Amino acid sequence: MATSPTEIRALTAAAFRAPQKFVDFCRNGGKPLAALINGEEVTGTMNTTFQTIDPGSQELLATVCEMGDAEVDLAVEAADKAFRGNGSNGWRDMGIEQRIELVNKLVELCERDRDVLLACEILDGGKVSELAEGDFGQIRACAEYFSDVARRIALGDGPSVKVADGVRGFTYREPWGVVAGIIPWNYPIVLTSWFMFPALLSGNTILIKPAEDTPLSALYIGKLAQEAGFPRGVINILTGRGEITGQSIAEHPGVKYISFTGSPGVGQAILRTCDRHGTRMKREMGGNGAAIVLGDADPGMVARMVGRLANQHFGQTCCTIHRIFVDKKIADDFIEAEKAFFADLKIGYQGDSGTQLGAVINPTQRRRILKAEQETIARGGKALLAGGNADVAGRNGFYLKPSLYLTSPGLNVNPDEVFHTYATICPVSSEEEALHLANSSPYGLGASVWTRDIERGVRLAKQFHDGTCQVNCHNTIAYGLPYGGQGISGGPGAGVNCEDTFRDYTQVKSIFVSDYPE
Ligand code: NDP
């Protein structure tokens, strides 16, 4: 049955209030929330705490302890010990079915405490429930996918090949040992799952550094992992600021592999640090997503679809659509429909029913976005919707209006990721022009083509300089298909969520064996 354009709406909040278990978790008996190291709560030697707030109200949710060099040392030592055991009974030696059993137990506990984890995403992360519920589903989906991969991809000895007379060789694949996941604030549950499950199932032990703005999901998952019975030191959650805790993890030579998701600047800096002591790294970074709308598309329908996706998590999604290139033939109708969609978004508190555009994560982001709006105008963009601050009655959050601009080929009005419900529309004369403009960005995370002609769409999609190229959809992910970036948006290594991701959590050696010379 065909979808009517009016049925396409933005992700929307249902009314949400904090469950008591979440409130108790945050209060922690009046003490700051500690990190989890070696199965114990650690408050740290720095005697420093930070606060995590609800971005929609600026109400304090929890006070959290910050970890420094001493705690990173402690965590690396504990994770290494858990990895090796006494030589034969470490996490690396545990049978795959035993590891899967523990992972399953953790997933079940997450599902038991679904409302607490939803509270972490909605109240700490500022998400609407419709998105938070989808994110929550990734815990099981990710665990099941990587359990299946772990059963299929054998570690240890590869097939033996004859190298020369009396000489054979084979590969030996093994986990890295202690790995780390450094996580951004926008998708805490999703990224904790994406990093933790492949790392653990391939035999590594892990340090997780959640973002300072959204530490609660990872801390709660860490707590559930203890309840599930993971051996001490296998999962360690290190809370703190990027430049303190994150930097200390990057500088530690005992961390053998780091998975990072975040901004390109920070990812580049961590890679340089890691390279000094041989720590390997995988990076998934920001984007400046493009959507090309071809002349055969229904402008009203596609404008709503693009608007819905551009507003996912209020544009705070890494591959979000910020740049739209539309065939001149349908540009007027498309612009009108997109403007109406953006203007109709219901701005409000993320826990109130009907909200579609909530607060951005912190005041720095709000300032960055407001500056980007001014710069778009200064570079020649014409405001269709001017953005700016928004008020939500009774809520003191970081609220902004959506912004939309008209631009033309040759004007590079939005060179950087803005990370809000912000987009530019550029009418174009040909698909070649659209493709050239879409590809003229150093980012390369996600792009899409919108057309009734699927064959033409696929042909164009293949020409994007992006890691995820989509036809009549955007922001789509699927286990088994790599999610990664080209250009400054990703690499080295494969993207996440595929078999290669699992292999990325292992290293391979060549073993040569010659007959003993008689
Ligand atoms: P940042 O790069 O600022 O931070 C990411 C993580 O790195 C945080 O945990 C941060 O800690 C930490 N960090 C910051 N500085 C350092 C340092 N010097 N050493 C080690 N760690 C450090 O990104 P944001 O949190 O602002 O997230 C938004 C960005 O993430 C956007 O660019 C977005 O596109 C991208 N992203 C990419 C995705 C992808 O799959 N490609 C998915 C989701 C987001 P702290 O928070 O304490 O500063």
Side-chain angles (χ1 to χ4, degrees), residues 182-187 191 194 209-213 240-243 246-247 250 260-264 266-267 269-270 284-287 317-319 365 417 419 445 483 489:
I182 300 181
I183 290 172
W185 48 260
N186 56 348
Y187 284 90
L191 288 156
W194 286 8
K209 203 302 257 175
E212 103 199 51
D213 282 316
R241 282 168 291 174
E243 62 273 28
Q247 183 71 26
F260 168 83
T261 298
S263 56
V266 173
I270 299 179
E284 303 307 327
M285 296 174 285
T317 299
C318 47
C319 55
Q365 280 298 112
E417 179 181 40
F419 237 40
L445 197 56
Y483 183 70
S489 296

Side-chain angles (χ1 to χ4, degrees), residues 14 59 113 159 161 186 200 211 245 281 291 295 300 306 330 402 420 443 450 456 497 511 515 517:
E59 280 165 25
D113 287 355
V161 293
N186 56 348
L200 296 178
T245 319
M281 190 182 180
V306 166
I330 58 165
H420 191 239
Y443 295 92
W450 298 79
R456 186 177 172 207
N497 291 346
I511 311 282
D515 293 345

Side-chain angles (χ1 to χ4, degrees), residues 2-16:
T3 318
S4 126
T6 50
E7 287 170 31
I8 302 165
R9 57 161 181 79
L11 292 172
T12 304
F16 187 88

Side-chain angles (χ1 to χ4, degrees), residues 274-295:
C274 285
D275 209 28
R276 289 207 295 267
H277 46 73
T279 298
R280 298 292 194 272
M281 190 182 180
K282 173 206 269 305
R283 300 173 306 167
E284 303 307 327
M285 296 174 285
N288 197 1
I292 295 179
V293 185
L294 298 181

